[in-house]
Amino acid sequence: MQYAAEYIGSNYGTFASDYRTLVHANIACAEDFGFDQLSTISDPYRETQGFGAEIIYHENGVPECVRPPFADIDEVEELQAISLPDPEQAPRMQDRIDAVRLYKELTGDRYSIMGWVEGPAALAGDLRGLSDFLMDLIDEPEYSACLLDICADTAIRFARIQINSGADTIGIGDAICSQISPMVYNELIWPRQKRLMDSIKAIGGKTRLHICGQTEHLWPKLRELPIDLLDCDHMVDLPKARAALPPSVVLGGNLDPVNDLLYGTPSTVAAKLEKSMSEAGPNFVVNAGCEIPSGTPKANIKALCKPRLRKC
Amino acid sequence: MNESLNQLTTAIKAGKRKDARAATAAALEAGLPPQSVLDALTEGMNDVGVRFKANTIFVPEVLVAARAMQKSMDLLEPVLIASGIEPEFSIVIGTVEGDLHDIGKNLVMMMLKGANFKVIDLGVNVSAEAFANAVAEHKPDLVALSALLTTTMPAMESIVCDLSRIEPPIKIIVGGAPITPDFADQIGADGYSADAASAVELAQKLCANAQ
């Protein structure tokens, strides 16, 4: 994201606050490097702003949420009284919808267009404050279930409008799930992710799930979700992931954004890619495990995107 | 072990903050030595660290345990100070410039407190200059840097580089979700840990070696 913004001489703050910059930056990268998919992600706080949070933009950093809007909402009854944001009224959600529409207008069907929503757990952490949300999962399961329902409903509404505006895929960012126990995940988060993905599939969208870090402890339940593409961070063992997940799930990954891409060379990137492709087998797409940092050599990203023939 | 000390250890392990506070109050009212209360608290947090490292518990369970520990410390700390019992080692900790995430840093901080370190928390988005100023002011035994975003790892490298010029030299440890041992070596850090419990072990080892 910061890389793409800087690639066209802009900055992260503008990329996150103006869909035109986001769209032009990502199209420029897609055309020069050969990406197959255009993304609408910029930061986690689109929906959070829709719930009333103040967001501050930094020229060269991730946008900042001044205060989680649900920090003082401690009771289920208070949660139940909250109205969901209308994506076409909330400025930052509307900005993402505008990005999808502009992608479609400028590129037609040349690229896959990926809309984006915060997953139920990620949005709950954004709204409540991450530490408080995680402690609520232990202390207040009823409250947590109610909050996660609100978050899933918000994501469903937001995803639907993005698909209707031209997105063929919805990326679901639920980064924090890797830090949650299988028991809590299975009971509280998985049912909401399932509901969200079922809803996306029901209107013809494809699903991409991004969870930062090691997700192995969640695979037994993740395999039951209707995931089309699962991002694998660089610490994930691809052969194990391939064996654990249904063959229909495309794995994406899993170069280390810093050690492989920022500090690597075109030849080390190529070698890592060959390894990943042989380990992951079919139904695999190449990407970095997480965000590519500013300053990554252009030659390394070209090496990442260079077409390769799979060895039989 | 005294019953209230047992209850304190059990409450910390289970993340029961009210029980931890009540057990601490009972132990202190009974006149038990504050060091024994601290030892019971540390035993509970050590157990939490072991289970976290073994992936039998995860971040939410550690957070509630750390919160219970803090409730106990709120009562215990003034008594420890009045008794002349002070932490043996101190550490300056912060999340590197450009990164606003604090959960990993807070976990390490709370585990260090549970192991009786004095912790100077600089918060998030901390510049090299702010780290250097804190080192000059507090003269810690260690500096700990945290990063969650891949995009802020270069900032970690830059801060380690700047802090490595400080005289007398200060030991620096690094950690965070995207950090690897290779990266820590590459940027010249003195140590890396993969999780909060390991960070405490690493800090104890580096501080003990420096004595």
Side-chain angles (χ1 to χ4, degrees):
Chain A
M1 295 175 280
Q2 184 167 355
Y3 184 94
E6 291 171 355
Y7 191 72
I8 60 162
S10 186
N11 60 68
Y12 200 165
T14 308
F15 180 92
S17 58
D18 184 342
Y19 71 96
R20 289 162 294 203
T21 300
L22 181 146
V23 164
H24 289 299
N26 283 334
I27 290 177
C29 288
E31 289 180 347
D32 289 1
F33 295 119
F35 297 158
D36 297 304
Q37 189 171 61
L38 296 167
S39 169
T40 51
I41 187 174
S42 63
D43 63 273
Y45 299 129
R46 300 274 175 168
E47 297 92 323
T48 306
Q49 194 267 347
F51 279 98
E54 180 187 352
I55 307 300
I56 296 174
Y57 299 98
H58 299 285
E59 186 171 314
N60 293 311
V62 184
E64 181 181 353
C65 174
V66 174
R67 191 163 189 273
F70 291 7
D72 297 326
I73 295 177
D74 297 324
E75 304 297 333
V76 171
E77 294 72 24
E78 294 175 272
L79 282 179
Q80 288 169 336
I82 287 171
S83 302
L84 301 189
D86 178 348
E88 294 185 293
Q89 296 296 321
R92 300 206 70 224
M93 297 172 83
Q94 177 63 55
D95 185 80
R96 177 167 291 160
I97 296 164
D98 287 340
V100 171
R101 289 179 178 145
L102 186 56
Y103 276 142
K104 197 70 184 171
E105 180 189 325
L106 295 176
T107 66
D109 295 326
R110 276 194 292 141
Y111 296 97
S112 163
I113 297 172
M114 181 175 66
W116 195 267
V117 297
E118 286 287 280
L123 182 55
D126 297 336
L127 294 175
R128 176 73 171 144
L130 188 53
S131 294
D132 283 343
F133 164 64
L134 293 174
M135 289 191 283
D136 289 341
L137 289 172
I138 306 296
D139 294 338
E140 306 285 349
E142 187 192 354
Y143 175 94
S144 300
C146 184
L147 176 57
L148 287 161
D149 276 334
I150 288 172
C151 295
D153 290 340
T154 303
I156 288 168
R157 183 184 283 197
F158 197 18
R160 183 177 299 130
I161 293 178
Q162 292 181 69
I163 289 170
N164 291 339
S165 300
D168 54 76
T169 302
I170 296 295
I172 299 165
D174 229 355
I176 192 60
C177 290
S178 58
Q179 305 303 314
I180 293 169
S181 72
M183 190 177 77
V184 173
Y185 171 80
N186 295 351
E187 185 180 331
L188 287 169
I189 297 166
W190 184 89
R192 279 84 189 179
Q193 287 182 338
K194 173 84 163 54
R195 189 156 63 82
L196 168 60
M197 290 187 187
D198 283 344
S199 167
I200 292 168
K201 302 292 280 186
I203 53 171
K206 293 192 181 302
T207 57
R208 175 176 178 174
L209 180 63
H210 181 88
I211 297 176
C212 293
Q214 180 56 267
T215 52
E216 189 172 338
H217 61 293
L218 305 178
W219 292 345
K221 205 66 182 164
L222 279 182
R223 61 172 287 121
E224 297 174 22
L225 289 173
I227 301 170
D228 291 303
L229 170 58
L230 178 68
D231 286 348
C232 295
D233 212 339
H234 67 87
M235 63 285 285
V236 170
D237 185 315
L238 280 178
K240 283 172 81 173
R242 184 70 285 165
L245 295 159
S248 59
V249 174
V250 177
L251 301 181
N254 76 335
L255 272 71
D256 180 337
V258 174
N259 286 315
D260 291 333
L261 285 169
L262 178 61
Y263 295 131
T265 64
S267 61
T268 60
V269 170
K272 184 69 194 288
L273 272 179
E274 293 295 338
K275 181 171 180 285
S276 296
M277 289 173 68
S278 68
E279 287 177 347
N283 271 357
F284 175 66
V285 297
V286 166
N287 63 31
C290 208
E291 186 181 353
I292 294 174
S294 167
T296 298
K298 194 172 173 179
N300 289 357
I301 302 183
K302 281 192 177 291
L304 178 72
C305 299
K306 186 178 174 186
R308 282 174 174 75
L309 291 176
R310 187 178 295 280
K311 291 173 185 167
C312 298
Chain B
M1 192 192 277
N2 178 280
E3 183 58 27
S4 51
L5 297 183
N6 271 330
Q7 287 170 353
L8 174 58
T9 303
T10 303
I12 299 287
K13 288 179 184 177
K16 301 288 187 190
R17 63 188 187 282
K18 291 175 187 168
D19 293 353
R21 187 177 172 87
T24 305
L28 294 174
E29 280 166 19
L32 294 176
Q35 182 65 51
S36 68
V37 182
L38 181 63
D39 290 344
L41 186 156
T42 305
E43 184 185 332
M45 283 308 285
N46 283 344
D47 176 78
V48 169
V50 168
R51 287 184 292 144
F52 183 51
K53 203 170 164 180
N55 284 338
T56 56
I57 59 172
F58 289 75
V59 170
E61 292 82 2
V62 178
L63 283 173
V64 293
R67 183 184 54 186
M69 180 206 79
Q70 189 58 52
K71 291 295 178 191
S72 174
M73 282 300 285
D74 289 346
L75 297 177
L76 180 59
E77 202 159 25
V79 183
L80 288 170
I81 291 168
S83 307
I85 300 170
E86 291 183 1
E88 193 174 1
F89 302 117
S90 67
I91 187 164
V92 162
I93 190 168
T95 304
V96 300
E97 189 164 25
D99 203 323
L100 304 173
H101 296 86
D102 63 1
I103 195 161
K105 183 262 299 174
N106 287 349
L107 280 175
V108 172
M109 181 176 78
M110 290 186 280
M111 297 289 281
L112 284 165
K113 282 185 177 177
N116 199 27
F117 274 75
K118 179 184 176 187
V119 183
I120 299 107
D121 177 22
L122 303 184
V124 299
N125 195 23
V126 182
S127 65
E129 185 184 5
F131 275 112
N133 289 343
V135 169
E137 182 184 348
H138 299 286
K139 301 191 173 18
D141 299 286
L142 274 179
V143 174
L145 309 181
S146 171
L148 181 76
L149 302 174
T150 55
T151 48
T152 53
M153 290 167 67
M156 179 177 272
E157 179 178 18
S158 167
I159 291 169
V160 170
C161 180
D162 285 1
L163 293 181
S164 67
R165 298 194 191 103
I166 290 177
E167 290 293 341
I170 181 81
K171 298 271 187 203
I172 305 164
I173 62 175
V174 298
I179 311 298
T180 62
D182 286 347
F183 178 76
D185 282 345
Q186 187 181 322
I187 65 174
D190 297 291
Y192 155 84
S193 64
D195 57 74
S198 305
V200 173
E201 290 168 12
L202 175 65
Q204 288 170 326
K205 184 178 151 194
L206 286 174
C207 289
N209 288 346
Q211 281 192 320

